[in-house]
Amino acid sequence: MIRFEHVTKKYRGTNKPALSDVDFEVQRGEFVFLVGASGSGKSSCLRLILREDTPSEGRVVVLGRDLHTLSTRKVPYFRRHIGSVFQDFRLLPNKTVFQNVAFTLQVIGSSRAYIQQAVTEALTLVGLDGKQKRLPHELSGGEQQRVAIARAIVNRPQILLADEPTGNLDPATSIDIMQLLARINEGGTTVVMATHEAGFVDQMKRRVIELQSGVMVRDDRHGGYGDRSSLPTLAPQEEKGAAATAALTAVLELQREIAASTVEGVAPAAAAAVSEAASDAVAASAVAAAVAVTPELVTSELADRETAPAVTREPAAPPVTRERPAPVKAQPADGATAEPAPHTRPIRIDAPAVDLDGLDLDGPGVADRLGLASDDDEVGPTS
Ligand SMILES: Nc1ncnc2c1ncn2[C@@H]1O[C@H](COP(=O)(O)OP(=O)(O)OP(=O)(O)O)[C@@H](O)[C@H]1O
């Protein structure tokens, strides 16, 4: 799904490469931590995956596509399959929670009915029911990050990149966010997360790729953070996010598209949204990570015969390897009766991949605190 082949990245005007001969492969459905000291090259890796940059040497292959040969014109289509979350949230300050999440779908020309349902479901997934009309400044940091995550996943990307997503949050809120990312991963999304949060890395026992001065020094399938001597300790905290965590049991699958609403080019609403956002520097950075314009990601161009899913022209198609129940018909939103009803499929979470039980912590086990201990829930659509 993601392959770095002897990647070296040297930024212009620098002597020392930010990445040196980095070589690894991430399979579909993995949760991978990228760890390392500040300046070790974590963000550079994520930027290469997102094709914000290209390697100086070597190849980066994502979803079966050699990103070096991906034309600039096709980059936005490619990025539709990758959601991004950042430390600083990058929300549009003058747009409501709903509008922030809807923005991506507007830009790709989704129908109103689809946007209404997909955004509602994404916000339910991240535990923000009832806060759709809030502006970002009316939310806590953790809530803002949840909005950013909802925005990143609303188009159901195959890969979620998270660059220090808990960097601005207190430990308890960070746990909520980690729990959310773990659940998204359990739904089949490949997650690559750059972090300094040694506590999470140690507890979650996921794959760890460690960089030191641009060199990959470790690739541990069930690793911990490694040398933590220079890091602040993550002490067990009083749980603050139980309510939000409980809300997350309503795990819903986000629709990808409805075929009838598929348009070529930017929809009028999207054009207006882009225009408005263009005047806003924050909008520019928010948009950059999110979207493409038309659904023309062609199968032959993206199909990695070994690791990638078949990617169809129809953005409505879910990743083929995810096990899903049959679609359930949903009613269009008010005022959108002319548009076909979007299809909603429940996510099946039947294999908790995070084994956090048995940790030597006071109080409830971390798996319980994260809501990951039980073999829970297959939840249907909200509407
Ligand atoms: N655009 C750029 N131009 C020049 N040098 C850069 C650029 N971006 C990053 N670097 C350098 O590349 C190296 C790796 O940076 P990178 O941001 O990837 O590290 P990082 O591990 O993500 O750090 P942090 O944890 O602080 O975010 C650093 O030495 C940095 O100064």
Side-chain angles (χ1 to χ4, degrees), residues 98 101-102 105 114-124 132 154:
F98 185 95
V101 179
L105 298 176
Y114 175 78
I115 291 172
Q116 179 68 42
Q117 187 170 350
V119 172
T120 300
E121 291 180 358
L123 290 174
T124 300
Q132 300 191 351
V154 72

Side-chain angles (χ1 to χ4, degrees), residues 260-283:
S261 67
T262 300
V263 296
E264 295 289 330
V266 181
V274 170
S275 171
E276 185 181 343
S279 64
D280 187 322
V282 180

Side-chain angles (χ1 to χ4, degrees), residues 284-362:
S285 69
V287 173
V291 295
V293 176
T294 57
E296 292 192 351
L297 197 58
V298 180
T299 304
S300 61
E301 293 176 335
L302 282 181
D304 181 334
R305 302 308 174 198
E306 294 175 2
T307 60
V311 180
T312 71
R313 280 182 177 274
E314 290 300 332
V320 293
T321 59
R322 298 183 196 181
E323 186 181 330
R324 296 167 193 288
V328 177
K329 274 199 170 180
Q331 293 301 314
D334 289 347
T337 52
E339 295 169 341
H343 300 289
T344 303
R345 294 170 296 277
I347 276 180
R348 183 179 178 84
I349 296 180
D350 52 9
V354 184
D355 181 10
L356 299 177
D357 284 331
L359 291 171
D360 187 18
L361 296 175
D362 292 333

Side-chain angles (χ1 to χ4, degrees), residues 158-173:
Q158 297 179 55
I159 298 170
L160 180 61
L161 304 179
D163 196 353
E164 294 281 356
T166 61
N168 284 345
L169 305 175
D170 66 73
T173 306

Side-chain angles (χ1 to χ4, degrees), residues 129-176:
D129 276 341
K131 299 199 171 169
Q132 300 191 351
K133 293 181 179 171
R134 298 269 190 96
L135 290 169
H137 76 268
E138 297 172 330
L139 301 173
S140 69
E143 288 171 333
Q144 289 185 50
Q145 191 59 293
R146 287 172 182 276
V147 177
I149 292 172
R151 179 184 60 191
I153 63 170
V154 72
N155 199 35
R156 196 162 182 77
Q158 297 179 55
I159 298 170
L160 180 61
L161 304 179
D163 196 353
E164 294 281 356
T166 61
N168 284 345
L169 305 175
D170 66 73
T173 306
S174 298
I175 286 176
D176 289 344

Side-chain angles (χ1 to χ4, degrees), residues 66-124:
D66 180 350
L67 299 191
H68 194 67
T69 65
L70 187 68
S71 68
T72 305
R73 186 173 57 86
K74 289 181 176 168
V75 168
Y77 312 146
F78 162 77
R79 288 191 186 144
R80 292 182 62 171
H81 296 265
I82 303 179
S84 301
V85 181
F86 304 93
Q87 178 173 351
D88 54 358
F89 318 141
R90 302 192 188 182
L91 300 177
L92 304 170
N94 299 322
K95 290 189 181 292
T96 64
V97 166
F98 185 95
Q99 289 167 338
N100 264 282
V101 179
F103 187 78
T104 298
L105 298 176
Q106 288 174 340
V107 170
I108 64 175
S110 297
S111 71
R112 279 182 55 200
Y114 175 78
I115 291 172
Q116 179 68 42
Q117 187 170 350
V119 172
T120 300
E121 291 180 358
L123 290 174
T124 300

